[in-house]
Amino acid sequence: MKKQYLFLLMGIMLVTFVFAGCSQQASTQQDQSLQGIKDNGKFVLGLDDSFPPMGFRDEKGEIVGFDIDLAKEVAKRMGVELEVKPIDWDGKVLSLNNQDIDVIWNGLTVTPERKEQILFSKDYLKNRQIVIVNKDSNIENKKDLTNKVVAVQLGSSGEDALNADEKTSKAIKEIRKFSNYTEALLDLKAGRVDAVVIDEVVGRYYMGKREGEYKIAKEDFGEEGYAIGFRKNDISFQQEVDKILDEMKKDGTTGEISKKWFGKDIVSK
C-alpha cells in the first residue's frame, strides 16, 4: 500500500513538473517577443498599400500614411527600424502567424473573430463603416440597397459588417468583392456598382480627392475601433507599443500626426 501511495505521489509530482515547465516555457516565449524585436533591430509592418490615408503609395511610389507615421515614431522610440511590407489583405492573419510580418498596422478593425486569432493593442482610432454612393444617387438608408449591387473590399471589416446585417445583405442583389477600394470606387463612378461599404476615414479621404463626385448615405453599419494586430504570444511587444502610443498621445505627437492627415486631431483619447 505504501508503494502505491509512493508511486501515486511521484506521478502527481511528474505531471506538475511537466505542466510547470510548459507554462514557464510559454511565459519565456512571451517575454522574449520584445527582446527578439530589439535583437533584430527592426519590426516588420504588414499593410494593404492602397488604403489611404492609413497606408498607401504616393506619387513617387513611396508608402506613406497616418499609420506609417505612427509606426515610424514608435519604432524610433523603441530604438529599432521600421520595415513596411505590402501583403494580401485577405491573408493578413496568415502572414502574421507565419512570421512574414510582426504586426498588422493598417486601419485594422477589432472584431470578435479576429480576437480569437490574434492579439490586439488598445484602440487608437474610432471609425464607422459608411455607404458611399454617387452624388445623384437616391440611396440614403440600408433599405435603399435592396436589389442593388454593393461593393466591398475582400477580407475587410466592411464586408464583415455587411454580412452581419442579414436583413440588408439578403435584400442586396449582389455583393461584389474587390481587392482594394480604389477599384471599387472607380466601378461606382462608372455605374457598375450602386454603392460601396467602406471605412469612413478612407472614404472621406477619397471624397476629398474627388469633390462633388460622391456622397455619404445617412445610415451606416456601425462604429468600430482601429487597433494593431500582434501574434498571440507577443505580449511584451504589444505592451511596449501600447505604452509608447500612450506617451505619444500625452506629449501631443499623435495629435500632430492626426492633423497632418485628417486636418484635425481625431485620435481616440
Side-chain angles (χ1 to χ4, degrees):
M1 185 67 74
K2 288 183 179 180
K3 287 184 177 180
Q4 290 177 340
Y5 280 123
L6 180 60
F7 286 131
L8 178 61
L9 180 60
M10 291 176 64
I12 292 173
M13 291 175 64
L14 179 61
V15 170
T16 302
F17 176 78
V18 170
F19 275 105
C22 291
S23 176
Q24 185 177 10
Q25 183 179 12
S27 176
T28 300
Q29 289 175 345
Q30 292 169 357
D31 290 342
Q32 288 178 341
S33 63
L34 176 59
Q35 190 59 50
I37 294 295
K38 291 187 174 182
D39 288 344
N40 288 335
K42 68 176 183 179
F43 67 83
V44 183
L45 180 154
L47 83 162
D48 165 15
D49 62 356
S50 60
F51 197 67
M54 311 309 287
F56 64 104
R57 292 188 184 275
D58 63 11
E59 296 82 359
K60 298 178 181 178
E62 296 178 0
I63 298 177
V64 298
F66 173 74
D67 280 339
I68 305 304
D69 283 354
L70 282 184
K72 283 181 177 178
E73 182 63 23
V74 168
K76 177 182 175 182
R77 296 189 185 201
M78 284 180 62
V80 299
E81 297 294 323
L82 174 69
E83 180 180 333
V84 179
K85 184 175 183 178
I87 58 173
D88 174 10
W89 193 247
D90 193 37
K92 55 191 171 293
V93 173
L94 183 63
S95 294
L96 179 65
N97 288 330
N98 282 348
Q99 300 188 18
D100 296 328
I101 57 175
D102 296 308
V103 292
I104 307 169
W105 195 339
N106 189 213
L108 179 66
T109 301
V110 180
T111 67
E113 295 77 17
R114 288 172 179 169
K115 279 185 173 181
E116 293 178 1
Q117 300 172 304
I118 60 177
L119 178 68
F120 279 100
S121 68
K122 298 176 185 176
D123 289 5
Y124 64 89
L125 196 65
K126 293 298 181 184
N127 180 55
R128 292 185 302 154
Q129 289 299 327
I130 60 172
V131 180
I132 289 184
V133 297
N134 285 320
K135 63 178 180 179
D136 57 352
S137 173
N138 60 4
I139 295 174
E140 293 289 352
N141 303 299
K142 292 179 183 179
K143 66 179 181 180
D144 297 330
L145 297 175
T146 300
N147 294 322
K148 304 295 185 183
V149 179
V150 179
V152 297
Q153 182 183 26
L154 183 65
S156 69
S157 53
E159 180 184 8
D160 293 340
L162 181 56
N163 288 331
D165 190 328
E166 293 187 9
K167 182 179 179 180
T168 302
S169 61
K170 286 181 179 179
I172 288 172
K173 179 181 179 181
E174 180 189 353
I175 298 176
R176 194 167 294 174
K177 301 177 183 181
F178 292 80
S179 61
N180 59 69
Y181 284 123
T182 303
E183 295 174 1
L185 289 167
L186 285 173
D187 269 25
L188 175 62
K189 182 180 179 182
R192 289 187 285 269
V193 301
D194 300 296
V196 179
V197 178
I198 186 172
D199 297 65
E200 182 174 19
V201 293
V202 179
R204 288 191 180 279
Y205 178 86
Y206 276 114
M207 290 177 68
K209 296 291 184 180
R210 301 174 177 86
E211 286 192 32
E213 291 185 12
Y214 306 119
K215 67 178 182 179
I216 298 174
K218 292 179 180 177
E219 196 170 7
D220 60 62
F221 285 90
E223 190 178 74
E224 59 193 23
Y226 279 168
I228 306 156
F230 301 81
R231 284 182 286 275
K232 282 282 191 178
N233 283 343
D234 287 354
I235 295 174
S236 59
F237 181 27
Q238 173 255 331
Q239 290 175 339
E240 180 70 6
V241 171
D242 270 346
K243 175 186 172 185
I244 294 173
L245 285 174
D246 284 342
E247 293 171 354
M248 288 169 59
K249 287 179 186 178
K250 290 178 182 178
D251 66 27
T253 303
T254 305
E256 289 303 313
I257 294 173
S258 178
K259 290 174 186 176
K260 172 184 174 181
W261 291 103
F262 301 108
K264 60 181 179 179
D265 185 358
I266 65 170
V267 179
S268 303
K269 301 299 183 184

Short mmCIF file of all heavy atoms in Angstrom, two decimals, residues 98-120:
data_model
loop_
_atom_site.label_atom_id
_atom_site.label_comp_id
_atom_site.label_asym_id
_atom_site.label_seq_id
_atom_site.Cartn_x
_atom_site.Cartn_y
_atom_site.Cartn_z
N ASN A 98 2.51 33.33 -39.70
CA ASN A 98 3.63 32.65 -40.37
C ASN A 98 4.94 33.41 -40.18
O ASN A 98 5.97 33.02 -40.72
CB ASN A 98 3.35 32.50 -41.86
CG ASN A 98 2.39 31.36 -42.16
OD1 ASN A 98 2.10 30.54 -41.30
ND2 ASN A 98 1.89 31.33 -43.38
N GLN A 99 4.88 34.55 -39.44
CA GLN A 99 6.04 35.39 -39.14
C GLN A 99 6.63 36.06 -40.37
O GLN A 99 7.80 36.43 -40.38
CB GLN A 99 7.11 34.57 -38.39
CG GLN A 99 6.61 34.00 -37.07
CD GLN A 99 7.69 33.37 -36.24
OE1 GLN A 99 8.88 33.61 -36.44
NE2 GLN A 99 7.30 32.56 -35.27
N ASP A 100 5.81 36.25 -41.40
CA ASP A 100 6.24 37.05 -42.55
C ASP A 100 6.29 38.52 -42.17
O ASP A 100 7.04 39.30 -42.76
CB ASP A 100 5.27 36.86 -43.73
CG ASP A 100 5.27 35.43 -44.26
OD1 ASP A 100 6.33 34.78 -44.19
OD2 ASP A 100 4.22 34.98 -44.74
N ILE A 101 5.44 38.89 -41.20
CA ILE A 101 5.40 40.26 -40.66
C ILE A 101 5.32 40.16 -39.15
O ILE A 101 5.03 39.10 -38.60
CB ILE A 101 4.19 41.05 -41.21
CG1 ILE A 101 2.89 40.31 -40.88
CG2 ILE A 101 4.33 41.27 -42.72
CD1 ILE A 101 1.63 41.07 -41.28
N ASP A 102 5.56 41.28 -38.47
CA ASP A 102 5.50 41.29 -36.99
C ASP A 102 4.23 41.95 -36.47
O ASP A 102 3.81 41.67 -35.34
CB ASP A 102 6.72 42.03 -36.42
CG ASP A 102 8.01 41.31 -36.74
OD1 ASP A 102 8.09 40.10 -36.46
OD2 ASP A 102 8.93 41.95 -37.28
N VAL A 103 3.63 42.84 -37.26
CA VAL A 103 2.37 43.49 -36.87
C VAL A 103 1.51 43.73 -38.10
O VAL A 103 2.03 43.90 -39.21
CB VAL A 103 2.59 44.86 -36.16
CG1 VAL A 103 3.23 44.69 -34.81
CG2 VAL A 103 3.41 45.81 -37.03
N ILE A 104 0.19 43.74 -37.89
CA ILE A 104 -0.75 44.24 -38.90
C ILE A 104 -1.13 45.62 -38.42
O ILE A 104 -1.75 45.78 -37.37
CB ILE A 104 -2.00 43.35 -39.00
CG1 ILE A 104 -1.64 41.88 -39.22
CG2 ILE A 104 -2.91 43.85 -40.14
CD1 ILE A 104 -2.82 40.94 -39.08
N TRP A 105 -0.75 46.63 -39.19
CA TRP A 105 -0.97 48.01 -38.74
C TRP A 105 -1.42 48.83 -39.94
O TRP A 105 -0.63 49.44 -40.63
CB TRP A 105 0.33 48.56 -38.16
CG TRP A 105 0.17 49.81 -37.33
CD1 TRP A 105 -0.87 50.70 -37.37
CD2 TRP A 105 1.08 50.30 -36.35
NE1 TRP A 105 -0.66 51.71 -36.48
CE2 TRP A 105 0.53 51.50 -35.83
CE3 TRP A 105 2.30 49.86 -35.86
CZ2 TRP A 105 1.17 52.25 -34.85
CZ3 TRP A 105 2.94 50.60 -34.89
CH2 TRP A 105 2.39 51.78 -34.38
N ASN A 106 -2.73 48.85 -40.18
CA ASN A 106 -3.23 49.49 -41.40
C ASN A 106 -4.75 49.62 -41.33
O ASN A 106 -5.47 49.03 -42.12
CB ASN A 106 -2.81 48.67 -42.62
CG ASN A 106 -3.08 49.35 -43.95
OD1 ASN A 106 -3.37 48.66 -44.92
ND2 ASN A 106 -3.00 50.65 -44.03
N GLY A 107 -5.24 50.40 -40.35
CA GLY A 107 -6.68 50.53 -40.21
C GLY A 107 -7.34 49.20 -39.95
O GLY A 107 -8.37 48.86 -40.53
N LEU A 108 -6.77 48.42 -39.03
CA LEU A 108 -7.27 47.08 -38.72
C LEU A 108 -8.39 47.18 -37.68
O LEU A 108 -8.18 47.65 -36.57
CB LEU A 108 -6.14 46.20 -38.19
CG LEU A 108 -6.52 44.78 -37.79
CD1 LEU A 108 -6.96 43.97 -39.01
CD2 LEU A 108 -5.35 44.09 -37.09
N THR A 109 -9.58 46.73 -38.04
CA THR A 109 -10.72 46.78 -37.15
C THR A 109 -10.71 45.61 -36.17
O THR A 109 -10.42 44.47 -36.54
CB THR A 109 -12.03 46.74 -37.96
OG1 THR A 109 -12.05 47.85 -38.86
CG2 THR A 109 -13.25 46.82 -37.06
N VAL A 110 -11.04 45.90 -34.92
CA VAL A 110 -11.14 44.87 -33.89
C VAL A 110 -12.49 44.18 -34.02
O VAL A 110 -13.54 44.83 -33.97
CB VAL A 110 -11.01 45.48 -32.48
CG1 VAL A 110 -11.12 44.39 -31.42
CG2 VAL A 110 -9.71 46.24 -32.34
N THR A 111 -12.47 42.86 -34.22
CA THR A 111 -13.70 42.08 -34.28
C THR A 111 -13.56 40.85 -33.39
O THR A 111 -12.43 40.40 -33.11
CB THR A 111 -13.99 41.60 -35.72
OG1 THR A 111 -12.98 40.65 -36.13
CG2 THR A 111 -14.01 42.77 -36.70
N PRO A 112 -14.66 40.27 -32.93
CA PRO A 112 -14.58 39.06 -32.10
C PRO A 112 -13.85 37.91 -32.80
O PRO A 112 -13.09 37.17 -32.16
CB PRO A 112 -16.06 38.71 -31.86
CG PRO A 112 -16.78 40.01 -31.98
CD PRO A 112 -16.04 40.77 -33.05
N GLU A 113 -14.08 37.76 -34.10
CA GLU A 113 -13.42 36.68 -34.84
C GLU A 113 -11.91 36.87 -34.87
O GLU A 113 -11.15 35.92 -34.68
CB GLU A 113 -13.97 36.63 -36.28
CG GLU A 113 -15.43 36.26 -36.40
CD GLU A 113 -16.38 37.40 -36.06
OE1 GLU A 113 -15.93 38.57 -36.02
OE2 GLU A 113 -17.57 37.12 -35.82
N ARG A 114 -11.47 38.10 -35.09
CA ARG A 114 -10.03 38.37 -35.15
C ARG A 114 -9.39 38.23 -33.77
O ARG A 114 -8.23 37.84 -33.66
CB ARG A 114 -9.78 39.77 -35.72
CG ARG A 114 -10.06 39.87 -37.21
CD ARG A 114 -9.98 41.30 -37.72
NE ARG A 114 -10.23 41.37 -39.16
CZ ARG A 114 -10.43 42.48 -39.83
NH1 ARG A 114 -10.39 43.65 -39.19
NH2 ARG A 114 -10.67 42.46 -41.13
N LYS A 115 -10.14 38.54 -32.71
CA LYS A 115 -9.62 38.39 -31.35
C LYS A 115 -9.27 36.94 -31.03
O LYS A 115 -8.40 36.67 -30.21
CB LYS A 115 -10.63 38.91 -30.33
CG LYS A 115 -10.62 40.42 -30.15
CD LYS A 115 -11.55 40.83 -29.02
CE LYS A 115 -11.44 42.31 -28.72
NZ LYS A 115 -12.33 42.71 -27.60
N GLU A 116 -9.95 36.02 -31.68
CA GLU A 116 -9.66 34.60 -31.47
C GLU A 116 -8.36 34.19 -32.14
O GLU A 116 -7.74 33.20 -31.76
CB GLU A 116 -10.81 33.75 -32.01
CG GLU A 116 -12.12 33.91 -31.24
CD GLU A 116 -13.24 33.08 -31.83
OE1 GLU A 116 -12.99 32.36 -32.84
OE2 GLU A 116 -14.36 33.12 -31.29
N GLN A 117 -7.94 34.96 -33.13
CA GLN A 117 -6.77 34.60 -33.93
C GLN A 117 -5.50 35.36 -33.57
O GLN A 117 -4.40 34.82 -33.69
CB GLN A 117 -7.07 34.82 -35.42
CG GLN A 117 -8.24 34.01 -35.95
CD GLN A 117 -8.60 34.41 -37.36
OE1 GLN A 117 -8.89 35.58 -37.65
NE2 GLN A 117 -8.60 33.46 -38.27
N ILE A 118 -5.67 36.62 -33.15
CA ILE A 118 -4.50 37.46 -32.90
C ILE A 118 -4.69 38.30 -31.64
O ILE A 118 -5.79 38.37 -31.09
CB ILE A 118 -4.21 38.40 -34.10
CG1 ILE A 118 -5.41 39.33 -34.37
CG2 ILE A 118 -3.84 37.60 -35.34
CD1 ILE A 118 -5.17 40.33 -35.49
N LEU A 119 -3.61 38.94 -31.22
CA LEU A 119 -3.61 39.83 -30.05
C LEU A 119 -3.72 41.27 -30.54
O LEU A 119 -3.06 41.64 -31.52
CB LEU A 119 -2.31 39.63 -29.28
CG LEU A 119 -2.05 40.48 -28.04
CD1 LEU A 119 -3.02 40.11 -26.93
CD2 LEU A 119 -0.61 40.28 -27.57
N PHE A 120 -4.54 42.08 -29.87
CA PHE A 120 -4.73 43.47 -30.29
C PHE A 120 -4.12 44.45 -29.29
O PHE A 120 -4.10 44.20 -28.09
CB PHE A 120 -6.22 43.80 -30.42
CG PHE A 120 -6.83 43.36 -31.72
CD1 PHE A 120 -7.58 42.20 -31.79
CD2 PHE A 120 -6.66 44.11 -32.88
CE1 PHE A 120 -8.15 41.79 -32.97
CE2 PHE A 120 -7.22 43.71 -34.08
CZ PHE A 120 -7.97 42.54 -34.13
#
